[in-house]
Amino acid sequence: MFEQISGSAALIQEYEQAKKLSEDATKDHRYVQTQKKAIRKERLQYESQKEEAERYQQSQEKCLDLKTTLMLWELAIVYSEMEQVKEQRETAMANFSKQKKRQQAAERAVAGKKKEVAAVRKEQLQVGRRVKKQEKVAQGLRPQHVRLRESMKSIEARDNAEAKKLAELFSPLSFSLFAVLLSTLLTSPLTF
């Protein structure tokens, strides 16, 4: 009623349309604002994800760098150990070579000594054979030696007896004459 008196009833339809347009504009504005907020939120989310992806990428690169550094250190350690083993091997080979040379020298010395021992044994056998031959010869000469010894004893006894006889005969003679006669007798055999 108030609207009829004030004459605003004719404008009601316009008012309603304007109200509806205002509400639609408000809705559209809210929708646009919501869309802007959603887009802003989505954009912030994308930026956050992008930063996170970049941080992840940097972490991956840093991890890869650290792994590479670790591998390089491990390789350096392995190389160092390999060099030490190589030096130890070379030292062992040098020692082995020296020991091998010493062994070969010792083997040559042993072979030389074996040859010397063989030569000495051979010489011993030869000397033993000669000794046996000489013993056989000596055994064969022994009876002859015994006979010669006996004859020497008898000759000495006879010479002593003759010297005594001559000493008795020539006792008054001088000693020098006796010595001359004795030497003559000894050099030339006397037969009676």
Side-chain angles (χ1 to χ4, degrees), residues 29-63:
H29 179 69
R30 281 188 200 148
Y31 176 75
V32 168
Q33 288 298 323
T34 307
Q35 286 295 324
K36 279 184 178 180
K37 280 183 182 178
I39 288 172
R40 208 177 302 132
K41 190 176 179 183
E42 194 175 309
R43 193 166 145 208
L44 287 174
Q45 188 178 3
Y46 283 138
E47 286 176 4
S48 173
Q49 286 177 353
K50 182 181 175 186
E51 288 174 4
E52 188 178 337
E54 286 174 355
R55 282 193 310 269
Y56 179 77
Q57 184 66 29
Q58 288 173 351
S59 295
Q60 288 289 54
E61 289 173 2
K62 188 175 181 180
C63 181

PDB file of all heavy atoms in Angstrom, residues 29-63:
ATOM      1  N   HIS A  29      30.151 -10.733  -9.145  1.00  0.00           N
ATOM      2  CA  HIS A  29      31.340 -10.169  -8.495  1.00  0.00           C
ATOM      3  C   HIS A  29      31.942 -11.168  -7.502  1.00  0.00           C
ATOM      4  O   HIS A  29      33.153 -11.360  -7.461  1.00  0.00           O
ATOM      5  CB  HIS A  29      30.967  -8.854  -7.800  1.00  0.00           C
ATOM      6  CG  HIS A  29      32.112  -8.225  -7.101  1.00  0.00           C
ATOM      7  ND1 HIS A  29      33.192  -7.661  -7.769  1.00  0.00           N
ATOM      8  CD2 HIS A  29      32.397  -8.071  -5.770  1.00  0.00           C
ATOM      9  CE1 HIS A  29      34.057  -7.198  -6.903  1.00  0.00           C
ATOM     10  NE2 HIS A  29      33.581  -7.433  -5.654  1.00  0.00           N
ATOM     11  N   ARG A  30      31.052 -11.792  -6.695  1.00  0.00           N
ATOM     12  CA  ARG A  30      31.529 -12.824  -5.749  1.00  0.00           C
ATOM     13  C   ARG A  30      32.150 -13.973  -6.496  1.00  0.00           C
ATOM     14  O   ARG A  30      33.183 -14.500  -6.072  1.00  0.00           O
ATOM     15  CB  ARG A  30      30.366 -13.321  -4.884  1.00  0.00           C
ATOM     16  CG  ARG A  30      30.050 -12.396  -3.792  1.00  0.00           C
ATOM     17  CD  ARG A  30      29.030 -13.027  -2.862  1.00  0.00           C
ATOM     18  NE  ARG A  30      28.376 -12.003  -2.086  1.00  0.00           N
ATOM     19  CZ  ARG A  30      27.146 -12.035  -1.669  1.00  0.00           C
ATOM     20  NH1 ARG A  30      26.384 -13.070  -1.950  1.00  0.00           N
ATOM     21  NH2 ARG A  30      26.650 -11.071  -0.951  1.00  0.00           N
ATOM     22  N   TYR A  31      31.466 -14.352  -7.602  1.00  0.00           N
ATOM     23  CA  TYR A  31      32.015 -15.463  -8.407  1.00  0.00           C
ATOM     24  C   TYR A  31      33.376 -15.089  -8.959  1.00  0.00           C
ATOM     25  O   TYR A  31      34.339 -15.865  -8.877  1.00  0.00           O
ATOM     26  CB  TYR A  31      31.030 -15.817  -9.522  1.00  0.00           C
ATOM     27  CG  TYR A  31      31.548 -16.875 -10.463  1.00  0.00           C
ATOM     28  CD1 TYR A  31      31.584 -18.204 -10.065  1.00  0.00           C
ATOM     29  CD2 TYR A  31      32.002 -16.538 -11.743  1.00  0.00           C
ATOM     30  CE1 TYR A  31      32.068 -19.172 -10.924  1.00  0.00           C
ATOM     31  CE2 TYR A  31      32.498 -17.500 -12.599  1.00  0.00           C
ATOM     32  CZ  TYR A  31      32.526 -18.815 -12.185  1.00  0.00           C
ATOM     33  OH  TYR A  31      33.003 -19.793 -13.033  1.00  0.00           O
ATOM     34  N   VAL A  32      33.475 -13.878  -9.480  1.00  0.00           N
ATOM     35  CA  VAL A  32      34.750 -13.417 -10.045  1.00  0.00           C
ATOM     36  C   VAL A  32      35.788 -13.342  -8.927  1.00  0.00           C
ATOM     37  O   VAL A  32      36.941 -13.766  -9.089  1.00  0.00           O
ATOM     38  CB  VAL A  32      34.574 -12.059 -10.760  1.00  0.00           C
ATOM     39  CG1 VAL A  32      35.934 -11.434 -11.097  1.00  0.00           C
ATOM     40  CG2 VAL A  32      33.760 -12.223 -12.020  1.00  0.00           C
ATOM     41  N   GLN A  33      35.375 -12.793  -7.765  1.00  0.00           N
ATOM     42  CA  GLN A  33      36.311 -12.704  -6.642  1.00  0.00           C
ATOM     43  C   GLN A  33      36.731 -14.101  -6.195  1.00  0.00           C
ATOM     44  O   GLN A  33      37.908 -14.347  -5.900  1.00  0.00           O
ATOM     45  CB  GLN A  33      35.671 -11.933  -5.468  1.00  0.00           C
ATOM     46  CG  GLN A  33      35.525 -10.455  -5.707  1.00  0.00           C
ATOM     47  CD  GLN A  33      36.868  -9.777  -5.909  1.00  0.00           C
ATOM     48  OE1 GLN A  33      37.866 -10.106  -5.289  1.00  0.00           O
ATOM     49  NE2 GLN A  33      36.902  -8.818  -6.840  1.00  0.00           N
ATOM     50  N   THR A  34      35.751 -15.003  -6.133  1.00  0.00           N
ATOM     51  CA  THR A  34      36.056 -16.388  -5.761  1.00  0.00           C
ATOM     52  C   THR A  34      36.998 -16.997  -6.794  1.00  0.00           C
ATOM     53  O   THR A  34      37.965 -17.685  -6.432  1.00  0.00           O
ATOM     54  CB  THR A  34      34.755 -17.217  -5.652  1.00  0.00           C
ATOM     55  OG1 THR A  34      33.844 -16.561  -4.786  1.00  0.00           O
ATOM     56  CG2 THR A  34      35.032 -18.597  -5.132  1.00  0.00           C
ATOM     57  N   GLN A  35      36.692 -16.716  -8.059  1.00  0.00           N
ATOM     58  CA  GLN A  35      37.547 -17.233  -9.133  1.00  0.00           C
ATOM     59  C   GLN A  35      38.936 -16.628  -9.012  1.00  0.00           C
ATOM     60  O   GLN A  35      39.943 -17.342  -9.151  1.00  0.00           O
ATOM     61  CB  GLN A  35      36.951 -16.897 -10.521  1.00  0.00           C
ATOM     62  CG  GLN A  35      35.750 -17.717 -10.897  1.00  0.00           C
ATOM     63  CD  GLN A  35      36.113 -19.189 -11.068  1.00  0.00           C
ATOM     64  OE1 GLN A  35      37.192 -19.531 -11.544  1.00  0.00           O
ATOM     65  NE2 GLN A  35      35.208 -20.054 -10.634  1.00  0.00           N
ATOM     66  N   LYS A  36      38.998 -15.311  -8.720  1.00  0.00           N
ATOM     67  CA  LYS A  36      40.299 -14.671  -8.570  1.00  0.00           C
ATOM     68  C   LYS A  36      41.059 -15.276  -7.393  1.00  0.00           C
ATOM     69  O   LYS A  36      42.251 -15.546  -7.482  1.00  0.00           O
ATOM     70  CB  LYS A  36      40.132 -13.155  -8.352  1.00  0.00           C
ATOM     71  CG  LYS A  36      39.922 -12.369  -9.587  1.00  0.00           C
ATOM     72  CD  LYS A  36      39.872 -10.884  -9.222  1.00  0.00           C
ATOM     73  CE  LYS A  36      39.711 -10.029 -10.447  1.00  0.00           C
ATOM     74  NZ  LYS A  36      39.661  -8.597 -10.099  1.00  0.00           N
ATOM     75  N   LYS A  37      40.298 -15.487  -6.270  1.00  0.00           N
ATOM     76  CA  LYS A  37      40.926 -16.101  -5.106  1.00  0.00           C
ATOM     77  C   LYS A  37      41.410 -17.507  -5.447  1.00  0.00           C
ATOM     78  O   LYS A  37      42.515 -17.904  -5.085  1.00  0.00           O
ATOM     79  CB  LYS A  37      39.956 -16.165  -3.925  1.00  0.00           C
ATOM     80  CG  LYS A  37      39.812 -14.890  -3.179  1.00  0.00           C
ATOM     81  CD  LYS A  37      38.873 -15.101  -1.974  1.00  0.00           C
ATOM     82  CE  LYS A  37      38.663 -13.810  -1.219  1.00  0.00           C
ATOM     83  NZ  LYS A  37      37.750 -13.975  -0.094  1.00  0.00           N
ATOM     84  N   ALA A  38      40.553 -18.254  -6.146  1.00  0.00           N
ATOM     85  CA  ALA A  38      40.924 -19.620  -6.521  1.00  0.00           C
ATOM     86  C   ALA A  38      42.137 -19.606  -7.457  1.00  0.00           C
ATOM     87  O   ALA A  38      43.074 -20.412  -7.305  1.00  0.00           O
ATOM     88  CB  ALA A  38      39.742 -20.319  -7.174  1.00  0.00           C
ATOM     89  N   ILE A  39      42.104 -18.642  -8.409  1.00  0.00           N
ATOM     90  CA  ILE A  39      43.220 -18.547  -9.357  1.00  0.00           C
ATOM     91  C   ILE A  39      44.475 -18.126  -8.599  1.00  0.00           C
ATOM     92  O   ILE A  39      45.564 -18.689  -8.802  1.00  0.00           O
ATOM     93  CB  ILE A  39      42.884 -17.564 -10.501  1.00  0.00           C
ATOM     94  CG1 ILE A  39      41.835 -18.187 -11.421  1.00  0.00           C
ATOM     95  CG2 ILE A  39      44.129 -17.202 -11.290  1.00  0.00           C
ATOM     96  CD1 ILE A  39      41.278 -17.229 -12.474  1.00  0.00           C
ATOM     97  N   ARG A  40      44.299 -17.120  -7.717  1.00  0.00           N
ATOM     98  CA  ARG A  40      45.439 -16.679  -6.911  1.00  0.00           C
ATOM     99  C   ARG A  40      45.970 -17.840  -6.054  1.00  0.00           C
ATOM    100  O   ARG A  40      47.161 -18.072  -5.965  1.00  0.00           O
ATOM    101  CB  ARG A  40      45.016 -15.514  -6.029  1.00  0.00           C
ATOM    102  CG  ARG A  40      46.164 -14.602  -5.707  1.00  0.00           C
ATOM    103  CD  ARG A  40      45.761 -13.382  -4.897  1.00  0.00           C
ATOM    104  NE  ARG A  40      44.747 -12.579  -5.558  1.00  0.00           N
ATOM    105  CZ  ARG A  40      43.641 -12.121  -4.976  1.00  0.00           C
ATOM    106  NH1 ARG A  40      43.403 -12.345  -3.721  1.00  0.00           N
ATOM    107  NH2 ARG A  40      42.770 -11.405  -5.653  1.00  0.00           N
ATOM    108  N   LYS A  41      45.015 -18.550  -5.422  1.00  0.00           N
ATOM    109  CA  LYS A  41      45.390 -19.699  -4.585  1.00  0.00           C
ATOM    110  C   LYS A  41      46.083 -20.759  -5.433  1.00  0.00           C
ATOM    111  O   LYS A  41      47.117 -21.314  -5.054  1.00  0.00           O
ATOM    112  CB  LYS A  41      44.134 -20.260  -3.917  1.00  0.00           C
ATOM    113  CG  LYS A  41      44.417 -21.271  -2.859  1.00  0.00           C
ATOM    114  CD  LYS A  41      43.114 -21.694  -2.182  1.00  0.00           C
ATOM    115  CE  LYS A  41      43.368 -22.726  -1.119  1.00  0.00           C
ATOM    116  NZ  LYS A  41      42.119 -23.189  -0.512  1.00  0.00           N
ATOM    117  N   GLU A  42      45.484 -21.017  -6.584  1.00  0.00           N
ATOM    118  CA  GLU A  42      46.076 -22.013  -7.500  1.00  0.00           C
ATOM    119  C   GLU A  42      47.451 -21.550  -7.968  1.00  0.00           C
ATOM    120  O   GLU A  42      48.398 -22.326  -8.028  1.00  0.00           O
ATOM    121  CB  GLU A  42      45.139 -22.219  -8.692  1.00  0.00           C
ATOM    122  CG  GLU A  42      45.461 -23.441  -9.518  1.00  0.00           C
ATOM    123  CD  GLU A  42      44.412 -23.647 -10.615  1.00  0.00           C
ATOM    124  OE1 GLU A  42      43.213 -23.649 -10.313  1.00  0.00           O
ATOM    125  OE2 GLU A  42      44.831 -23.785 -11.771  1.00  0.00           O
ATOM    126  N   ARG A  43      47.540 -20.246  -8.253  1.00  0.00           N
ATOM    127  CA  ARG A  43      48.815 -19.697  -8.690  1.00  0.00           C
ATOM    128  C   ARG A  43      49.851 -19.803  -7.571  1.00  0.00           C
ATOM    129  O   ARG A  43      50.999 -20.193  -7.803  1.00  0.00           O
ATOM    130  CB  ARG A  43      48.615 -18.239  -9.091  1.00  0.00           C
ATOM    131  CG  ARG A  43      49.758 -17.663  -9.821  1.00  0.00           C
ATOM    132  CD  ARG A  43      49.312 -16.365 -10.452  1.00  0.00           C
ATOM    133  NE  ARG A  43      50.394 -15.432 -10.429  1.00  0.00           N
ATOM    134  CZ  ARG A  43      50.271 -14.139 -10.392  1.00  0.00           C
ATOM    135  NH1 ARG A  43      49.075 -13.600 -10.337  1.00  0.00           N
ATOM    136  NH2 ARG A  43      51.321 -13.367 -10.424  1.00  0.00           N
ATOM    137  N   LEU A  44      49.434 -19.471  -6.341  1.00  0.00           N
ATOM    138  CA  LEU A  44      50.340 -19.619  -5.198  1.00  0.00           C
ATOM    139  C   LEU A  44      50.751 -21.091  -5.015  1.00  0.00           C
ATOM    140  O   LEU A  44      51.908 -21.386  -4.722  1.00  0.00           O
ATOM    141  CB  LEU A  44      49.681 -19.074  -3.919  1.00  0.00           C
ATOM    142  CG  LEU A  44      49.571 -17.560  -3.797  1.00  0.00           C
ATOM    143  CD1 LEU A  44      48.758 -17.194  -2.555  1.00  0.00           C
ATOM    144  CD2 LEU A  44      50.957 -16.927  -3.732  1.00  0.00           C
ATOM    145  N   GLN A  45      49.774 -21.953  -5.216  1.00  0.00           N
ATOM    146  CA  GLN A  45      50.067 -23.386  -5.100  1.00  0.00           C
ATOM    147  C   GLN A  45      51.063 -23.798  -6.184  1.00  0.00           C
ATOM    148  O   GLN A  45      52.016 -24.526  -5.912  1.00  0.00           O
ATOM    149  CB  GLN A  45      48.766 -24.193  -5.210  1.00  0.00           C
ATOM    150  CG  GLN A  45      48.945 -25.657  -4.906  1.00  0.00           C
ATOM    151  CD  GLN A  45      47.611 -26.414  -4.976  1.00  0.00           C
ATOM    152  OE1 GLN A  45      46.567 -25.843  -5.299  1.00  0.00           O
ATOM    153  NE2 GLN A  45      47.669 -27.686  -4.675  1.00  0.00           N
ATOM    154  N   TYR A  46      50.848 -23.319  -7.427  1.00  0.00           N
ATOM    155  CA  TYR A  46      51.784 -23.630  -8.512  1.00  0.00           C
ATOM    156  C   TYR A  46      53.166 -23.061  -8.215  1.00  0.00           C
ATOM    157  O   TYR A  46      54.182 -23.726  -8.420  1.00  0.00           O
ATOM    158  CB  TYR A  46      51.265 -23.105  -9.850  1.00  0.00           C
ATOM    159  CG  TYR A  46      50.166 -23.924 -10.474  1.00  0.00           C
ATOM    160  CD1 TYR A  46      49.071 -23.299 -11.080  1.00  0.00           C
ATOM    161  CD2 TYR A  46      50.206 -25.323 -10.470  1.00  0.00           C
ATOM    162  CE1 TYR A  46      48.055 -24.038 -11.662  1.00  0.00           C
ATOM    163  CE2 TYR A  46      49.186 -26.055 -11.045  1.00  0.00           C
ATOM    164  CZ  TYR A  46      48.112 -25.428 -11.634  1.00  0.00           C
ATOM    165  OH  TYR A  46      47.110 -26.162 -12.205  1.00  0.00           O
ATOM    166  N   GLU A  47      53.183 -21.819  -7.694  1.00  0.00           N
ATOM    167  CA  GLU A  47      54.476 -21.227  -7.361  1.00  0.00           C
ATOM    168  C   GLU A  47      55.161 -22.012  -6.243  1.00  0.00           C
ATOM    169  O   GLU A  47      56.363 -22.258  -6.287  1.00  0.00           O
ATOM    170  CB  GLU A  47      54.289 -19.760  -6.951  1.00  0.00           C
ATOM    171  CG  GLU A  47      54.001 -18.841  -8.112  1.00  0.00           C
ATOM    172  CD  GLU A  47      53.727 -17.411  -7.661  1.00  0.00           C
ATOM    173  OE1 GLU A  47      53.831 -17.123  -6.443  1.00  0.00           O
ATOM    174  OE2 GLU A  47      53.411 -16.581  -8.530  1.00  0.00           O
ATOM    175  N   SER A  48      54.355 -22.408  -5.255  1.00  0.00           N
ATOM    176  CA  SER A  48      54.904 -23.219  -4.150  1.00  0.00           C
ATOM    177  C   SER A  48      55.428 -24.550  -4.673  1.00  0.00           C
ATOM    178  O   SER A  48      56.522 -24.994  -4.309  1.00  0.00           O
ATOM    179  CB  SER A  48      53.816 -23.429  -3.099  1.00  0.00           C
ATOM    180  OG  SER A  48      54.253 -24.338  -2.118  1.00  0.00           O
ATOM    181  N   GLN A  49      54.639 -25.162  -5.547  1.00  0.00           N
ATOM    182  CA  GLN A  49      55.069 -26.427  -6.139  1.00  0.00           C
ATOM    183  C   GLN A  49      56.311 -26.227  -6.993  1.00  0.00           C
ATOM    184  O   GLN A  49      57.223 -27.057  -6.985  1.00  0.00           O
ATOM    185  CB  GLN A  49      53.932 -27.035  -6.976  1.00  0.00           C
ATOM    186  CG  GLN A  49      52.814 -27.623  -6.160  1.00  0.00           C
ATOM    187  CD  GLN A  49      51.681 -28.140  -7.036  1.00  0.00           C
ATOM    188  OE1 GLN A  49      51.669 -27.943  -8.260  1.00  0.00           O
ATOM    189  NE2 GLN A  49      50.711 -28.794  -6.406  1.00  0.00           N
ATOM    190  N   LYS A  50      56.316 -25.079  -7.722  1.00  0.00           N
ATOM    191  CA  LYS A  50      57.473 -24.790  -8.560  1.00  0.00           C
ATOM    192  C   LYS A  50      58.711 -24.600  -7.687  1.00  0.00           C
ATOM    193  O   LYS A  50      59.786 -25.157  -7.969  1.00  0.00           O
ATOM    194  CB  LYS A  50      57.221 -23.545  -9.400  1.00  0.00           C
ATOM    195  CG  LYS A  50      58.353 -23.195 -10.331  1.00  0.00           C
ATOM    196  CD  LYS A  50      58.053 -21.943 -11.115  1.00  0.00           C
ATOM    197  CE  LYS A  50      59.250 -21.531 -11.954  1.00  0.00           C
ATOM    198  NZ  LYS A  50      59.047 -20.249 -12.610  1.00  0.00           N
ATOM    199  N   GLU A  51      58.576 -23.840  -6.581  1.00  0.00           N
ATOM    200  CA  GLU A  51      59.698 -23.649  -5.661  1.00  0.00           C
ATOM    201  C   GLU A  51      60.133 -24.976  -5.049  1.00  0.00           C
ATOM    202  O   GLU A  51      61.329 -25.259  -4.929  1.00  0.00           O
ATOM    203  CB  GLU A  51      59.313 -22.648  -4.558  1.00  0.00           C
ATOM    204  CG  GLU A  51      59.224 -21.229  -5.036  1.00  0.00           C
ATOM    205  CD  GLU A  51      58.698 -20.287  -3.942  1.00  0.00           C
ATOM    206  OE1 GLU A  51      58.492 -20.762  -2.792  1.00  0.00           O
ATOM    207  OE2 GLU A  51      58.498 -19.114  -4.245  1.00  0.00           O
ATOM    208  N   GLU A  52      59.114 -25.764  -4.676  1.00  0.00           N
ATOM    209  CA  GLU A  52      59.435 -27.085  -4.106  1.00  0.00           C
ATOM    210  C   GLU A  52      60.145 -27.955  -5.138  1.00  0.00           C
ATOM    211  O   GLU A  52      61.129 -28.640  -4.818  1.00  0.00           O
ATOM    212  CB  GLU A  52      58.153 -27.772  -3.629  1.00  0.00           C
ATOM    213  CG  GLU A  52      58.401 -29.047  -2.861  1.00  0.00           C
ATOM    214  CD  GLU A  52      57.121 -29.693  -2.353  1.00  0.00           C
ATOM    215  OE1 GLU A  52      56.102 -28.993  -2.201  1.00  0.00           O
ATOM    216  OE2 GLU A  52      57.160 -30.910  -2.123  1.00  0.00           O
ATOM    217  N   ALA A  53      59.663 -27.894  -6.399  1.00  0.00           N
ATOM    218  CA  ALA A  53      60.308 -28.661  -7.466  1.00  0.00           C
ATOM    219  C   ALA A  53      61.732 -28.166  -7.690  1.00  0.00           C
ATOM    220  O   ALA A  53      62.661 -28.969  -7.887  1.00  0.00           O
ATOM    221  CB  ALA A  53      59.491 -28.564  -8.755  1.00  0.00           C
ATOM    222  N   GLU A  54      61.914 -26.831  -7.636  1.00  0.00           N
ATOM    223  CA  GLU A  54      63.252 -26.272  -7.804  1.00  0.00           C
ATOM    224  C   GLU A  54      64.157 -26.690  -6.635  1.00  0.00           C
ATOM    225  O   GLU A  54      65.312 -27.054  -6.834  1.00  0.00           O
ATOM    226  CB  GLU A  54      63.186 -24.745  -7.920  1.00  0.00           C
ATOM    227  CG  GLU A  54      62.649 -24.269  -9.259  1.00  0.00           C
ATOM    228  CD  GLU A  54      62.452 -22.756  -9.304  1.00  0.00           C
ATOM    229  OE1 GLU A  54      62.641 -22.084  -8.259  1.00  0.00           O
ATOM    230  OE2 GLU A  54      62.099 -22.247 -10.388  1.00  0.00           O
ATOM    231  N   ARG A  55      63.598 -26.610  -5.400  1.00  0.00           N
ATOM    232  CA  ARG A  55      64.379 -27.067  -4.235  1.00  0.00           C
ATOM    233  C   ARG A  55      64.721 -28.555  -4.365  1.00  0.00           C
ATOM    234  O   ARG A  55      65.838 -28.975  -4.070  1.00  0.00           O
ATOM    235  CB  ARG A  55      63.602 -26.809  -2.937  1.00  0.00           C
ATOM    236  CG  ARG A  55      63.650 -25.388  -2.467  1.00  0.00           C
ATOM    237  CD  ARG A  55      63.140 -25.246  -1.028  1.00  0.00           C
ATOM    238  NE  ARG A  55      61.861 -25.867  -0.760  1.00  0.00           N
ATOM    239  CZ  ARG A  55      60.667 -25.265  -0.876  1.00  0.00           C
ATOM    240  NH1 ARG A  55      60.613 -24.004  -1.264  1.00  0.00           N
ATOM    241  NH2 ARG A  55      59.558 -25.906  -0.605  1.00  0.00           N
ATOM    242  N   TYR A  56      63.733 -29.324  -4.818  1.00  0.00           N
ATOM    243  CA  TYR A  56      63.979 -30.762  -5.015  1.00  0.00           C
ATOM    244  C   TYR A  56      65.057 -30.970  -6.072  1.00  0.00           C
ATOM    245  O   TYR A  56      65.970 -31.775  -5.880  1.00  0.00           O
ATOM    246  CB  TYR A  56      62.681 -31.468  -5.421  1.00  0.00           C
ATOM    247  CG  TYR A  56      62.865 -32.938  -5.673  1.00  0.00           C
ATOM    248  CD1 TYR A  56      62.985 -33.833  -4.614  1.00  0.00           C
ATOM    249  CD2 TYR A  56      62.922 -33.451  -6.973  1.00  0.00           C
ATOM    250  CE1 TYR A  56      63.157 -35.184  -4.847  1.00  0.00           C
ATOM    251  CE2 TYR A  56      63.100 -34.788  -7.212  1.00  0.00           C
ATOM    252  CZ  TYR A  56      63.216 -35.661  -6.144  1.00  0.00           C
ATOM    253  OH  TYR A  56      63.397 -36.995  -6.366  1.00  0.00           O
ATOM    254  N   GLN A  57      64.965 -30.218  -7.159  1.00  0.00           N
ATOM    255  CA  GLN A  57      65.957 -30.331  -8.230  1.00  0.00           C
ATOM    256  C   GLN A  57      67.343 -29.947  -7.701  1.00  0.00           C
ATOM    257  O   GLN A  57      68.334 -30.632  -7.976  1.00  0.00           O
ATOM    258  CB  GLN A  57      65.557 -29.450  -9.428  1.00  0.00           C
ATOM    259  CG  GLN A  57      66.476 -29.573 -10.616  1.00  0.00           C
ATOM    260  CD  GLN A  57      66.418 -30.952 -11.257  1.00  0.00           C
ATOM    261  OE1 GLN A  57      65.402 -31.635 -11.209  1.00  0.00           O
ATOM    262  NE2 GLN A  57      67.523 -31.371 -11.837  1.00  0.00           N
ATOM    263  N   GLN A  58      67.395 -28.849  -6.931  1.00  0.00           N
ATOM    264  CA  GLN A  58      68.667 -28.433  -6.349  1.00  0.00           C
ATOM    265  C   GLN A  58      69.189 -29.494  -5.377  1.00  0.00           C
ATOM    266  O   GLN A  58      70.387 -29.803  -5.355  1.00  0.00           O
ATOM    267  CB  GLN A  58      68.513 -27.084  -5.630  1.00  0.00           C
ATOM    268  CG  GLN A  58      68.332 -25.910  -6.563  1.00  0.00           C
ATOM    269  CD  GLN A  58      68.008 -24.619  -5.807  1.00  0.00           C
ATOM    270  OE1 GLN A  58      67.758 -24.636  -4.606  1.00  0.00           O
ATOM    271  NE2 GLN A  58      68.008 -23.508  -6.544  1.00  0.00           N
ATOM    272  N   SER A  59      68.266 -30.057  -4.586  1.00  0.00           N
ATOM    273  CA  SER A  59      68.670 -31.128  -3.657  1.00  0.00           C
ATOM    274  C   SER A  59      69.183 -32.336  -4.424  1.00  0.00           C
ATOM    275  O   SER A  59      70.189 -32.952  -4.038  1.00  0.00           O
ATOM    276  CB  SER A  59      67.487 -31.547  -2.773  1.00  0.00           C
ATOM    277  OG  SER A  59      67.090 -30.497  -1.941  1.00  0.00           O
ATOM    278  N   GLN A  60      68.502 -32.666  -5.510  1.00  0.00           N
ATOM    279  CA  GLN A  60      68.941 -33.789  -6.337  1.00  0.00           C
ATOM    280  C   GLN A  60      70.326 -33.509  -6.913  1.00  0.00           C
ATOM    281  O   GLN A  60      71.193 -34.384  -6.924  1.00  0.00           O
ATOM    282  CB  GLN A  60      67.933 -34.066  -7.477  1.00  0.00           C
ATOM    283  CG  GLN A  60      66.644 -34.674  -7.018  1.00  0.00           C
ATOM    284  CD  GLN A  60      66.816 -36.113  -6.582  1.00  0.00           C
ATOM    285  OE1 GLN A  60      67.648 -36.438  -5.738  1.00  0.00           O
ATOM    286  NE2 GLN A  60      66.020 -36.994  -7.151  1.00  0.00           N
ATOM    287  N   GLU A  61      70.519 -32.289  -7.419  1.00  0.00           N
ATOM    288  CA  GLU A  61      71.821 -31.929  -7.981  1.00  0.00           C
ATOM    289  C   GLU A  61      72.898 -31.951  -6.902  1.00  0.00           C
ATOM    290  O   GLU A  61      74.004 -32.448  -7.129  1.00  0.00           O
ATOM    291  CB  GLU A  61      71.746 -30.550  -8.644  1.00  0.00           C
ATOM    292  CG  GLU A  61      70.947 -30.530  -9.936  1.00  0.00           C
ATOM    293  CD  GLU A  61      70.741 -29.131 -10.501  1.00  0.00           C
ATOM    294  OE1 GLU A  61      71.258 -28.164  -9.903  1.00  0.00           O
ATOM    295  OE2 GLU A  61      70.073 -29.027 -11.548  1.00  0.00           O
ATOM    296  N   LYS A  62      72.533 -31.403  -5.721  1.00  0.00           N
ATOM    297  CA  LYS A  62      73.477 -31.410  -4.609  1.00  0.00           C
ATOM    298  C   LYS A  62      73.789 -32.847  -4.192  1.00  0.00           C
ATOM    299  O   LYS A  62      74.953 -33.203  -3.951  1.00  0.00           O
ATOM    300  CB  LYS A  62      72.901 -30.625  -3.433  1.00  0.00           C
ATOM    301  CG  LYS A  62      73.885 -30.410  -2.311  1.00  0.00           C
ATOM    302  CD  LYS A  62      73.275 -29.521  -1.232  1.00  0.00           C
ATOM    303  CE  LYS A  62      74.283 -29.279  -0.120  1.00  0.00           C
ATOM    304  NZ  LYS A  62      73.725 -28.419   0.925  1.00  0.00           N
ATOM    305  N   CYS A  63      72.739 -33.668  -4.134  1.00  0.00           N
ATOM    306  CA  CYS A  63      72.928 -35.094  -3.800  1.00  0.00           C
ATOM    307  C   CYS A  63      73.817 -35.768  -4.843  1.00  0.00           C
ATOM    308  O   CYS A  63      74.724 -36.525  -4.491  1.00  0.00           O
ATOM    309  CB  CYS A  63      71.568 -35.782  -3.714  1.00  0.00           C
ATOM    310  SG  CYS A  63      71.670 -37.534  -3.288  1.00  0.00           S
TER     311      CYS A  63
END
